[in-house]
Structures are given as C-alpha cells and as structure tokens.
C-alpha cells in the first residue's frame, strides 16, 4: 500500500469508520442541519442539544465513505462541550490540515486527516460533517417537540 | 485501418502508468477514450481547414463547410437516418433531450397529458421531463423496474397499463448506465406508436456499443453524446424524424438559423439549421464523423460481442467476492458491458480510491441515478464499465484491486 | 512563450497556398485561427487526461477536473471576474445570450417592460430578445445608429430618451461585427444601472482583440465565443455577476447540475454547475484557457494597437478604390480591426470569389446583420477583418485583388 | 485569371449580369413567387403572366451576385412561351449542368453555367431564380388587380 494511501486511511480513521461515535438521531436535539455532497450523493445530518451557548450533546447520521464517516464521528467527539466560535476555530484548523497536510502539534486528534490533502477530491468528504455542524449551530432552535419530527 | 489485433495501440492514453501501475481504464460509461484518428482529425482541421461554415465562399470556408456537412451525412449513415437533415448537432445527450423537452414539450404538452418515462433513467433523461411536465401541467409517470436490485428489468406488464392514449411522449434509455440492462427499444417504440405517443430514446450508453438503426427501431427522437463513442467532448446529436422536425419550433435563436430578420421579427430556416443557432462546434462534429468511421471499421456488432464477453467474465469473477451485491441483470442474463456493485461495509468512494492506487479507474457514486439508488436502498455503487480496448486481464486486475480493498476494510 | 517577432510561425494554418497563392486570411471576424499551443492542448488532453469531470475520484478524472476548473479560473482572470463561479461554459456567444434571454427573461420580464437593444446587433443578440419580448409581453426597442452608413455611431442623445425606468435589460454589442464601431460599453453600463436595467454585453468581437475587465465595465452579463479568440470551436462563456447568477433558475437540466433528485423533483447546485447540465466540453474549455495564456503573453493592448494600425492602413488604401462605399466610422475615426465595404456594380459574392482566387479570404454577405443592411439600403457587403497575425503586406494583397475584380466587372 | 474562374464568369453570364433581360416588376402578372438564399441574403422575385398553360410574359426582380442575376435573366429568356412541365424539364437540365459541369449540346445557352460546378457554394446562387419561377408556376393565380399589390 502506498504511503499516500496509508496516510489517508490512518488507524484512527479506520477505527472511527468501523465504530462511529455519537451516531444516530438525538431525541433531545434542539438544533439540526443537513449536509449534502452533491458530487457523490453522500449525506450527513448533525443533531445538537445546546445548553446555552455550549453543545451539550451532539450526534450525526448519514451515509458516506470511510473518510466522511470517520470525520463526522471525530468531529462530534471534538465539538461536544464547545461553543459555536470554538467549533468554528476548530474547523478552521481542520480545514487547514486537510488542504495543506500540515497539522500543528496541539490538535493532534484532527491530524489524522492530514493525508486527505493528497486526495483533493476527498476534501469535500472530510468536511461534510463539519459543514453540517456549523449549519446546525447557525440554525434556528427547533420547536420543543417529540422525536418524530426528525424522521 | 483499425484492426482488432492491435486496437489498444490506437489509443495513446491507455499507454500510461497511474501510481506506477499500467492504467486499466474501466470508466467508459462516463466517457470513452479517443483513438489517434479522432485526435488527428482535430489537428488536421485546425491546421488546414479551420473557418466559419455556411456563410463563407472562400476556400477554407468551403472546405470547413464540406467537412462539417460531410460529418452530418456520416452520422446519418451511422444510425441509418433517412436524411442528413435529421441530424442536429448539440453539445451532447443532455442538450439533445432538453431541446426536445422544451421545443416539443412547449408545443404539444397540456394539462391532462402524460409523459411516460422509466424508473431507471439518468438524471439527464428525467429532470428535463419533470421540468416539461411542470411547465405544461402534464403528469410524469414512471414505468417501474422489477426486482430488489433491478434484476427483473422494466415491468412490461405495467407498460400495458401505463401506455394509455393520454401518453403524449415516452422517453426511455436504450441501455441503463447503472444497471447494464438492455431495453427492448423497438418494442417500446412500437407500443408507444400504437397509442400515438412520440418516443425519445436516450442512446448515450448504446450508441458506441451496438449497431443502432433509428428506422428499424422506429424511434421519433434519439439523443446521444460523441464523447461516449470515441468522439470528442462537446459534441452530440439529436436525431429527429423529419416530419416531426419540420414542425418543431427552434429552441435557441440567433445567427445561422434565420431566413429573414427585421427589427420586428424573424423567420426560420428548415432543419437542421433551424436548431443550430450560432457558430457550431465544427471541429468536434468533424471528429465525431471520424469516430463513426473508426467504430464501423471494427464493426459495432463485434464491439457488442466483445463487451458481452467482458461483462460475462466480470460477472463471474466479481460474484466470487464475499459480500458483493451486484445490481441489474443476474449472472448469465443479458447485460451490456458494465457492472455496478456494492458492499455493505465498504463505501464506493473508498473502493475507487483503493483501485486507483492499483491503476484501475472505476466510478463510484449515484451515477446520476439518485431515485433508482434510493429505491434499492443504496446511496452509491461502484461501476466498472468496459469498451473495445478492455481485456480479460484487466478484469483480473480489477478483481485483485477489490480483494485488496476488502482485506483492508473488512479483513477477509 | 509567443513573441510578436514570429507570431505567424505559431499558426500552422497560415502557411498554406490557396489556388497557388499564399493564404491571406482576412475572415477573422467570423473565426480566428488557432496557435499551435491551443491545438497541442487538445492533443495533450486526449492523450493523457481525458476523463469525465466532477464525479470521478480516479487519477484521470481528477486531472481532467483540475484542468477544467483551472480553465474556468484562468478565464475569470482573463476578464477580471471577481469569482470563477461567475464563468459559465457554453457553446458560444449565441448560446450564452440565449441562456440569459430565457432564464433571466422568463423570471423578470412582464408586459409593459422594455428590453432595449441597438440597431447594429448581430442576429445572435437580436433574435433571442425578440423571442424573450414576445414570450413575456415586453416591448423591444432599438437604440438608433446615426449616419447613412452608420458612421455616426449609436445615438447617445436618444439613449437618454430610451433608457427609462421601464427598461429592465439593455443588451448591446461591444464591437460591431459589421461596422467596426467600438461602443462605449462602460458608459452604457453606467447609464443602464442608473435606471436599474441589467446589462448584457455581446463581446464576441472584442474579447480577443482588446483588454476586457468586466468589473471596470460594470457589466451584469457578458457573452463571448472561444473560436473568435484563438480558442477551439464549440466553447464559449457567459459571465454573470454572482449576485444575479445566484438567483437565476437553470436553463438546461440533467446530470451534474442537481443536488438531490427524486421521482417528484430536483434541487439545483449553485453556480456555475447549475448552468452546466450534462458532460461539459472539457477539452475545448481547457484549450480556451490556453488561448487566454497565448493572448496575454502577446498582450491584448498590443493586439488592439496592431489591429488599429491595420484598420487605419486598410481604410486609407481601400478609400482609393473607385466607387467604394465603406460603412461604419470614417477614415481617421476610431474603429476596430475590420472594414466592410460595397461597390454599386459588383456584388460581394463575386468579390469574395475573385479574392479567393488570389488567396485572399474575405467574407461577403449580410454578416448576420440583415436589418442594419436594409437600413443602409444594402443587401450585402464585403468584409476584411484583421487579427494579430495579419500584416500590412496582406492589405496590399487585398487591395490588388479588389482592383483586379473591379477591372473585370467594371473595366476601370 | 484561372481557368475555373474564366469558366465561371463566361461572357454570356457577364453580359446578362450587365444588361439583365426582363428585369423589374411585371404589371400584368397573374402569378408571382419569391425566393431567398438564406445563406447570403440574396433575393429573387419572379412574375409571370400565364396565358392558359403557357408563360406569355415573365420578369424577375431582386438582388444578388453576377451568377444569380445572370441566371435569373437567362432563365426568363428560356422560360418565356413554355409550359410548366417544359420549364421543369429545362430546370432539370440546368441543375445537371451546374452540379456536374456537363452540358448536352442541344441546350447550349444554359451551358454557360457549367463552370458553377467547380464552385459548389455558388450553386444556390445559380438556381435561385429558377426556384422562384417554379414556385410561381405552382402558385395560386393572383386576383385581378392593379400593379400596386406587388409593391
Ligand atoms: C458581434 C457578434 N455577436 C455574436 C456572434 C455570434 O457568435 P457565435 O456564432 O460564436 O455564437 C458573432 C459572431 O458570429 C458576432 O460577431
Ligand atoms: C444513460 C445516459 N443518459 C444520459 C447521459 C448524459 O450524457 P451527457 O453527459 O454526455 O450529456 C449519460 C452519461 O452521462 C448516460 O449514461
């Protein structure tokens, strides 16, 4: 397997792909947004329960390749407990990593995605979940409701 | 003269390495590669004859016009059209279908009418009809595909129910770009004609792969793209029966398609000029004519046979992969030279990326077939699509690449 | 790197004989010739990178996509668009104008509205507006041209009267393909904006001949063809301001321009994809980007200066021919690099045939400008149109050919 | 001047171009038809006065190149006194001549147009007047009227 491919499919990515964290709908969500990758038809929904300015709970749902699934999964673990501006700042780091391949030391978890930069067509896969999360943060709060409206 | 013996030598692009491996190009459903003769035709045109057509009386312009109209006649012969004026040059299948959907649709569709299509259409033969139906108030109906993986083909029994006299137009694909299913197009045309419906055949996947005779099919309109039949990008054809074209209003307007223009209005030339506003894609039309020569020299019936062998071999070898789900006709059934498949645990994009590492070019995604994918509970498949230059050894390379990918992701 | 020193060497087609005489190509208003670099770009693409764009993840598809989108960015830079997404690839000027006339026209024009254009438009910037006005119930008005031979340019005083708030769209040419008049496009845009009218500039004749900055012009839409700027046939551009494109509905529909398709309906991608249904003309778009490189290496301001010199020389020499009637700006006035003329006793077609015998390629006819011809009491003119590879010696060849023709027909 | 060009612009063609026969509107016409060459904007109207089945008088009007003007002029001289089927037969000869360059002896006047066959783009010029004449022969008779309706 080539160095590029090994870089792309790091162990942490494979792990998140096989055992996605925070996957599925969030019954208590008060924010939700949906992202599409029109190029390939991949989809990702992100559910948030905001507690004031902070993300108290987060989950994602959808379908896509290993990169997009692992990225969404890792994103949920990173975003939990953070505020909107904090998630925004994280995304900026993440975007730099997947487009340049350079990962600063302090955000080592996201660094697993540095290999994406050798596969420009996959950048959209890696950012799909993040885009949905940022959209959800910007979205209007859901009316208090039961789970069913999310179907 | 091309010959089957060294067909691969005719295609310069095939002789390259991708990631250090010889390229195995199995993305022919998306676009075909170009033989040297087609590339040379472009060079020759731009080096010797380039000029605007139709309105010129100098030597270059006459040569360009002759070559352009010669290409039209060549393509008419290629599909056995009764008259070169039935060949309208467009950018490709999509534009050809849009032209019919707009010009014919605007003139003929009204509320209460039905446009019939099928569940297996490419977005390009689906969305334009949704738009035409919406604009006119007509209803769009779909002929269902049978089987959990579309293996049963289109539902011929349902066709009897659906083909009512309300159906004004029936648009269907000749070969499915996702399933590989070959549609009984002549029968569909016959049954459509019986209720007075106009037929539109999307021949994007069949034109370069099998003999196609528009008169034998009994088709009213046939749309195809040059780039899928060894021709250049940016050129395609709308075939229309003369009697229909003669009554059709133009779609785009401008220079070259008018007889008389005043500040108050304009009158139109007859077909084909009426449908070719502006400077046409002269060079690519001419090169498309050369692609016809190339394919006919090999023989389209031989290409179809070659494709069929590769499809059979691919079906057999792919079926041995653990967990594979092949959509479309089952092993042993007739299918065109393409195979779409999915694995529960490995996404198409990861497969395509891994195969690319092995030099194997595949396509992964919804193949412009989202509603069909959704019907099958899929979001994407991986597709290997073959053409005249592919070999059985290349299928072995494909299978090996898939095995390696499966091992990596699933560990089997 | 091209250089003015041996520009002719870059164009293979120029080095041929026509009827035993070296070709003098003076039909650049119809189409320009292609430098070796542009032809090579096509060959390179088909020999190395050919693949379908956007939807592919394998090596060829990524290369093709990068090159295609790179061409879009290159063209954005060429016209100083703010964003590559403002560049929509079309077949050419005619299709670009049709796209605006239909998509924008359908959404915005209603009875009582006025579409303003001018008396000097090419059919391609005239008939689409007639159609849009007819479809919407809007009125089409014409800004007059002044002088018995159009020598007075467009009537700027009348523009004040005509540019009322009822005017929703003002479509005008940047350079007249028949008169050679250069239109004050920036001023027209400014005045149109003052009444809230959207502007459409037909830049077919200016794009390859003079620097063009869409932001400095303040244009809303700009249409041009690749084939008139050293690019291939079959590719052109519609530039649209992002804010307008974002609100514009698609024209053609199909694969590649949709986000989500169900059997019930579809949603659209943002610009530019929304306006590029189907497989685009990848190869020719890429080669058009190379044409931009070529023209910029020579410098468009230098091309404009070169054209201006040839126009001046041609005006002076042609004026000496007995009985010649030159239309458009008078000797000494600013004009682009083309001259249209007529003789009372010799028809343009006979002139073109005679000139062709001398190897000189001219155009004779109405130049897709019938109403203007009629206004001048003409049915046709002969046009000599120059480009970067033409020389003053070629103008002498032109004048000699015309003298010979006059001698034959008129005996002077 | 090349042989092709000399062939094209024969003396008889130049003569008919300089001094067209039967040019102008025919006040007494009871049939008229109009032809366009959309490629170049050339136009030709043909006026007939039929006397029974025969063309008693004929004229043409319009604008075009030397070939189209001379051809229309010569056509009028040939068609006068003939019936529809006779003009049709003449046109068949003429069409053969301009497309093949071979002129049978017996119709030597039309043979002047043999040179057109080396200039395929000019065939439409040479046939414009003939097409208008054939259309006029097929057209409905004009209502009895004054000259003015022809303006
Ligand atoms: C001023 C002008 N507008 C529009 C056009 C049409 O361009 P195209 O035929 O490439 O669509 C032309 C060229 O023919 C032109 O000169
Ligand atoms: C069945 C089918 N129809 C239509 C199309 C559209 O063709 P194009 O993109 O060349 O317009 C394609 C190819 O993408 C196809 O496979």
């Amino acid at each position: 397997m080539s160095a590029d491919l090994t870089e792309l499919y790091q162990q942490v990515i494979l792990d998140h792909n096989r055992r996605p964290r925070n996957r599925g709908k969030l019954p208590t969500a008060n924010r939700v947004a949906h992202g599409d990758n029109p190029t390939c038809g991949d989809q990702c929904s992100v559910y948030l329960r905001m507690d004031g300015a902070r993300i108290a709970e987060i989950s994602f749902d959808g379908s896509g390749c290993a990169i997009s699934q692992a990225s969404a999964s890792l994103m949920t673990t990173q975003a939990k407990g953070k505020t909107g501006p904090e998630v925004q700042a994280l995304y900026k780091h993440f975007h730099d990593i997947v487009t340049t391949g350079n990962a600063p030391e302090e955000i080592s978890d996201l660094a697993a995605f540095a290999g994406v930069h050798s596969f420009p067509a996959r950048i959209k896969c890696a950012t799909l979940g993040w885009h949905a999360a940022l959209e959800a943060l910007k979205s209007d709060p859901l009316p208090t409701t039961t789970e069913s409206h999310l179907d | 003269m091309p010959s089957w013996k060294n067909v691969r030598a005719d295609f310069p692009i095939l002789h390259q390495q991708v990631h250090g491996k010889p390229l195995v190009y199995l993305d022919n459903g998306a676009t075909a590669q170009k033989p040297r003769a087609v590339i040379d035709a472009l060079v020759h045109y731009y080096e010797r004859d380039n000029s605007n057509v139709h309105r010129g009386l100098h030597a270059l312009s006459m040569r360009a016009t002759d070559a352009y109209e010669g290409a039209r006649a060549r393509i008419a012969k290629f599909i056995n059209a009764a008259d070169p004026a039935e060949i309208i040059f467009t950018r490709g299948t999509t534009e050809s279908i849009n032209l019919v959907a707009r010009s014919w649709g605007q003139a003929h569709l009204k509320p209460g009418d039905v446009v019939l299509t099928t569940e297996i259409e490419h977005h390009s033969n689906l969305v334009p009809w949704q738009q035409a139906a919406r604009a006119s108030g007509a209803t769009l109906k779909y002929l269902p595909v049978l089987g959990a993986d579309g293996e049963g083909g289109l539902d011929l029994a349902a066709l009897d129910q659906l083909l009512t006299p309300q159906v004004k137009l029936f648009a269907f694909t000749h070969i499915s770009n996702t399933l590989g299913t070959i549609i009984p197009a002549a029968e569909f045309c016959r049954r459509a004609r019986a209720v007075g419906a106009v037929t539109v055949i999307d021949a994007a996947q069949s034109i370069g792969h099998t003999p196609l005779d528009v008169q034998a099919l009994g088709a009213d309109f046939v749309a195809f793209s040059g780039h899928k039949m060894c021709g250049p990008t940016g050129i395609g054809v709308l075939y229309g029966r003369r009697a229909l074209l003669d009554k059709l209003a133009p779609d785009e307007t401008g220079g070259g398609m008018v007889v008389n223009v005043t500040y108050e209005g304009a009158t139109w030339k007859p077909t084909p000029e009426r449908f070719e506003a502006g400077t046409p894609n002269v060079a690519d039309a001419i090169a498309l004519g050369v692609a016809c020569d190339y394919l006919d020299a090999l023989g389209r019936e031989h290409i179809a046979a070659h494709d069929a062998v590769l499809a059979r071999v691919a079906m057999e070898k792919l079926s041995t992969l653990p967990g594979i789900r092949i959509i479309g006709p089952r092993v042993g059934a007739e299918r065109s030279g393409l195979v779409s498949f999915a694995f529960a645990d490995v996404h198409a994009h990861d497969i395509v990326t891994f195969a690319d590492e092995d030099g194997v070019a595949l396509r992964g995604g919804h193949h412009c077939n989202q509603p069909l994918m959704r019907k099958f509970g899929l979001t994407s498949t991986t597709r290997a699509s073959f053409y005249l230059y592919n070999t059985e050894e290349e299928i072995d390379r494909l299978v090996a690449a898939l095995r390696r990918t499966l091992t990596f992701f699933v560990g089997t």
Side-chain angles (χ1 to χ4, degrees), chain A, chain B:
Chain A
M1 209 163 112
S2 81
D4 276 354
L5 213 53
T6 324
E7 259 291 289
L8 180 63
Y9 292 99
Q10 299 249 335
Q11 207 47 53
V12 37
I13 293 183
L14 292 175
D15 178 57
H16 273 274
N17 180 44
R18 282 206 199 107
R19 300 186 303 111
R21 321 298 196 266
N22 306 309
R23 178 158 189 154
K25 285 175 191 151
L26 189 67
T28 56
N30 51 17
R31 296 272 204 298
V32 65
H34 182 75
D36 277 301
N37 183 348
T39 317
C40 54
D42 286 353
Q43 305 185 327
C44 184
S45 298
V46 168
Y47 306 84
L48 305 179
R49 187 169 65 75
M50 299 301 290
D51 186 0
R54 290 202 180 270
I55 298 175
E57 282 185 276
I58 178 168
S59 77
F60 81 100
D61 206 4
S63 69
C65 62
I67 308 300
S68 80
Q69 296 299 294
S71 172
S73 167
L74 188 64
M75 178 277 293
T76 61
T77 66
Q78 299 278 313
K80 188 163 176 179
K82 299 233 163 47
T83 64
E86 285 167 359
V87 175
Q88 188 83 49
L90 264 183
Y91 173 65
K92 212 200 141 311
H93 277 305
F94 181 74
H95 189 261
D96 286 351
I97 291 170
V98 295
T99 50
T100 67
N102 303 325
E105 296 257 323
E106 66 276 19
I107 44 161
S108 50
D109 274 344
L110 299 179
F113 286 87
V116 172
H117 95 279
S118 312
F119 297 83
R122 306 301 289 276
I123 291 173
K124 281 192 179 165
C125 308
T127 56
L128 182 61
W130 287 90
H131 280 298
L134 293 173
E135 282 302 315
L137 280 163
K138 280 192 292 182
S139 71
D140 293 331
L142 294 171
T144 330
T145 175
T146 67
E147 187 176 351
S148 62
H149 82 276
L150 297 174
D151 290 324
Chain B
M1 269 295 279
S3 107
W4 279 99
K5 285 226 187 54
N6 47 5
V7 112
R8 289 182 65 86
D10 295 337
F11 292 81
I13 202 168
L14 299 179
H15 309 283
Q16 67 176 292
Q17 305 235 321
V18 165
H19 301 299
K21 316 267 168 48
L23 170 66
V24 175
Y25 184 77
L26 300 181
D27 194 16
N28 296 287
T31 202
Q33 299 304 343
K34 321 305 173 199
R36 166 73 57 210
V38 167
I39 303 173
D40 284 351
L42 294 171
V43 174
H44 180 91
Y45 175 75
Y46 287 125
E47 287 192 351
R48 302 294 304 168
D49 303 333
N50 176 59
S51 181
N52 214 317
V53 291
H54 294 317
R55 293 177 290 272
L57 295 168
H58 57 79
L60 268 53
S61 182
M62 288 187 276
R63 274 189 247 147
T65 304
D66 286 351
Y68 180 67
E69 293 304 330
R72 195 192 303 282
R74 178 67 188 87
I75 291 156
K77 194 171 144 237
F78 192 71
I79 61 171
N80 194 32
D83 181 344
E86 298 180 321
I87 304 299
I88 298 163
F89 284 116
T90 65
R91 183 173 27 251
T93 310
T94 304
E95 188 177 43
S96 297
I97 294 169
N98 274 272
L99 200 166
V100 182
R102 283 202 289 226
S103 283
W104 193 94
Q106 263 167 35
H108 295 94
L109 292 177
K110 48 181 199 319
D113 287 347
V114 172
V115 174
L116 183 62
T117 183
T118 86
E119 284 184 349
I120 66 170
E121 300 306 316
H122 188 281
H123 292 163
S124 289
N125 198 29
L126 176 53
V127 186
W129 302 118
Q130 293 181 337
Q131 297 288 99
R134 186 154 309 154
S136 63
T139 307
L140 184 60
K141 293 195 177 168
Y142 296 91
L143 178 63
V145 61
L146 296 173
D149 292 327
E151 70 276 11
L154 292 173
D155 185 346
L156 295 185
L159 189 55
D160 280 330
Q161 250 95 72
L162 284 166
L163 261 184
T164 63
Q166 279 72 51
V167 176
K168 289 294 170 316
L169 183 141
F170 183 19
F172 57 87
T173 191
H174 195 186
I175 290 183
S176 159
N177 66 307
T178 303
L179 300 173
T181 312
I182 302 168
I183 303 307
E187 186 188 338
F188 277 25
C189 288
R190 194 165 35 73
R191 289 168 70 170
R193 208 164 38 244
V195 299
V198 159
T199 44
V200 180
I201 301 185
D202 173 355
Q205 292 293 334
S206 59
I207 185 71
H209 292 262
T210 177
L212 192 156
D213 178 331
V214 291
Q215 297 190 70
L217 285 176
D220 291 316
F221 294 102
V222 180
F224 56 90
S225 303
H227 70 93
K228 297 193 200 256
M229 55 175 280
C230 294
T233 59
I235 191 83
V237 168
L238 174 64
Y239 158 83
R241 268 204 307 118
R242 183 75 197 246
L244 291 169
L245 292 181
D246 282 345
K247 286 183 292 183
L248 208 61
D251 186 35
E252 298 184 351
T253 57
M257 50 74 72
V258 286
V259 173
N260 193 29
V261 180
T262 66
Y263 290 126
E264 285 72 44
T267 57
W268 320 131
K269 282 189 192 166
T271 184
E273 284 84 5
R274 188 190 309 164
F275 304 102
E276 296 183 359
T279 304
N281 188 350
V282 183
D284 291 328
I286 293 168
L288 182 57
V290 173
C292 292
D293 291 340
Y294 185 83
L295 296 178
D296 276 348
L298 291 178
R300 274 174 282 166
E301 63 288 7
H302 297 300
I303 295 173
H306 176 87
D307 281 1
V309 170
L310 293 183
R312 184 176 50 69
V313 172
M315 286 294 285
E316 281 163 10
K317 297 200 169 165
L318 289 171
S319 304
T320 66
L321 292 173
I324 197 167
R325 174 179 169 193
I326 296 177
I327 63 171
R330 291 278 175 246
V331 178
E334 182 195 51
R335 69 155 59 224
S336 75
L338 64 88
V339 183
S340 268
F341 50 87
F343 296 94
D345 296 322
V346 194
H347 189 273
H349 285 182
D350 299 311
I351 294 174
V352 173
T353 296
F354 265 70
D356 186 53
E357 274 278 321
D358 286 345
V360 180
L362 298 173
R363 189 138 298 237
H366 54 60
H367 312 293
C368 294
N369 235 308
Q370 285 181 17
L372 183 66
M373 289 281 145
R374 211 171 283 122
K375 175 168 173 147
F376 295 159
L378 293 164
T379 57
S380 61
T381 67
T382 304
R383 182 183 70 188
S385 50
F386 312 114
Y387 207 14
L388 51 91
Y389 34 69
N390 291 124
T391 65
E392 294 191 33
E393 292 72 52
E394 290 184 319
I395 294 176
D396 293 332
R397 293 268 309 276
L398 162 67
V399 173
L402 293 174
R403 278 202 197 283
R404 192 172 73 90
T405 312
L406 289 175
T407 307
F408 183 81
F409 282 100
V410 194
T412 44

